[in-house]
Amino acid sequence: MRNFCKLGILALFLLPLIAACSYLPTAGSASPAGVIVTDTRGSIELRPASVPQADSGLIFIPGGFVDPAAYIEALAPLARAGYPVLIRKVPANLAVLDPQGADRLRQAIPEISTWAIGGHSLGGVMAASLIGEKPQNFQALILMASYPAAPSDLSAWEGSVLSIAAEFDGLTKAEDIDAGRPRLPDDSQYSLISGGCHAYFGSYGPQDGDGIPSISREEQQAQVAALIIDILSNL
C-alpha cells in the first residue's frame, strides 16, 4: 500500500512534465466559421452553428502527446456539415491513461442516437480497443494513421470502418496498417492521402520522425474531412 501511494505521488509530479512535452496547436484553436466551439472538462465540443444538427456524431481521440485543440481545424468541416464532434481530453494528452473516458462522452449530447468513434495514431488504437470492449455503443470506427492493436479483434464487428493513411507518414507505416487488416471487418474502407504526412492529420507543426509532405496541411485535412463526412452520412 505504501509503494502504491508513492507511485501515486510520483505520478502527480510527472504528469505536468509529460504534458509539457505535448504537441501544441499551431492553428485552428479559435472558433472556426460556422462552428460553435465549447471547451468542457472532458472534451472540446464542435457543433453546427448554421445548419441543423444530424442524428450522428463523432467522438475523436487525439494522438499521443497531441493537444486536443490541434484537431479543431481538421474536424470543423464535420460540424459545419451538421455532425457534432467531441474531441476527447485525456490526462497528460495520453489516451492510455483513461481508456474508458471516450465512451462516457456519449452522454454529453444525449440527443445523438448514432456514434462513430475515431482517433489519430495512438488515439485510433484506443478507439479500436474501446469498440472491442463495447461494440454495441458505436456504429463506425475512423482510423487516422492507425490500426487495431493485436488484442483488438474487430473482424466480426458489424460497424463501418474507415482507415485513412498518408503517403509520406514517417511514423505509421503502410506495413503497420496492413498487419492490422485481419483484425478489421472485410468490408473496411481504406483510403490513402497522396502526398500527406502524419502530422497533417492535425495542426500542431512538424513531428519528429515524420516524412516530408508534398501537399498542404489544408489540402490533406479537407480530403480527410470529406471521407469522414461520407461515412457519417451513411450511418
Side-chain angles (χ1 to χ4, degrees), residues 108-162:
I109 311 181
E111 65 269 27
I112 295 296
S113 58
T114 303
W115 283 106
I117 187 168
H120 175 216
S121 196
L122 177 61
V125 174
M126 299 307 299
S129 175
L130 189 53
I131 287 182
E133 296 179 14
K134 300 181 178 181
Q136 72 283 357
N137 289 353
F138 302 97
Q139 287 68 52
L141 171 64
I142 312 296
L143 298 172
M144 296 185 189
S146 190
Y147 49 88
S152 302
D153 185 357
L154 309 184
S155 58
W157 184 55
E158 297 182 354
S160 301
V161 176
L162 170 63

Side-chain angles (χ1 to χ4, degrees), residues 43-141:
S43 70
I44 298 175
E45 296 183 2
L46 310 181
R47 298 221 203 182
S50 55
V51 300
Q53 181 170 283
D55 294 329
S56 57
L58 172 68
I59 293 173
F60 186 82
I61 306 176
F65 302 117
V66 181
D67 189 285
Y71 297 95
I72 292 176
E73 188 176 28
L75 299 175
L78 279 62
R80 276 195 289 270
Y83 303 100
V85 179
L86 302 178
I87 306 173
R88 174 80 177 117
K89 290 181 178 179
V90 292
N93 295 325
L94 200 56
V96 294
L97 298 179
D98 186 14
Q100 299 295 321
D103 183 57
R104 296 192 297 269
L105 282 185
R106 293 183 302 114
Q107 304 169 15
I109 311 181
E111 65 269 27
I112 295 296
S113 58
T114 303
W115 283 106
I117 187 168
H120 175 216
S121 196
L122 177 61
V125 174
M126 299 307 299
S129 175
L130 189 53
I131 287 182
E133 296 179 14
K134 300 181 178 181
Q136 72 283 357
N137 289 353
F138 302 97
Q139 287 68 52
L141 171 64

